[in-house]
Amino acid sequence: MLEGSVARNIINATEAARAFSQIINSVEYKGESYTVLKGGKPVAAIVPVRAAIPGRTLKELKEIINDLPRLGKDTESFFKDVADLIRCQPHLDRKRRQGNNI
């Protein structure tokens, strides 16, 4: 039922709902982490509290980056969407930007 490596298990939303108690127990007692997929795309992470607390060290950055979900074939589409959103943002006049420290 629960797939993936010990470091990061991957599970779809339906399976996560059905096995929520089991997932919470494995997170609490084994320190496991889960990536929850909806429609085949990562939408949430269930991680031990210690992993969610800020204050990580730079030494841990590589591990944190490796645990991030991969965009895969959606990479180009993602960057295009971000660029489109940036272009659609309203421009603020200079006085307004300075007054709001933007």
Side-chain angles (χ1 to χ4, degrees):
M1 179 193 301
L2 304 177
E3 303 169 3
S5 67
V6 174
R8 178 70 71 156
N9 296 289
I10 299 172
I11 188 168
N12 71 45
T14 301
E15 291 170 343
R18 289 182 185 145
F20 191 72
S21 180
Q22 177 185 353
I23 291 168
I24 294 300
N25 284 335
S26 70
V27 170
E28 180 179 12
Y29 298 114
K30 296 179 183 177
E32 293 183 354
S33 298
Y34 291 83
T35 298
V36 181
L37 306 178
K38 184 174 182 182
K41 296 183 180 183
V43 295
I46 303 173
V47 298
V49 172
R50 69 180 179 279
I53 296 173
R56 305 292 288 233
T57 65
L58 189 57
K59 187 176 179 180
E60 297 172 289
L61 183 58
K62 185 175 181 180
E63 179 183 338
I64 292 167
I65 290 172
N66 287 336
D67 283 345
L68 293 173
R70 303 288 179 237
L71 291 175
K73 64 182 168 100
D74 296 325
T75 302
E76 273 187 49
S77 175
F78 172 77
F79 286 115
K80 181 185 176 300
D81 290 346
V82 170
D84 290 345
L85 288 170
I86 290 170
R87 278 193 298 276
C88 293
Q89 296 302 306
H91 295 282
L92 299 175
D93 62 57
R94 180 172 280 181
K95 288 181 183 178
R96 188 170 172 199
R97 278 195 310 248
Q98 290 173 345
N100 291 326
N101 294 324
I102 296 176

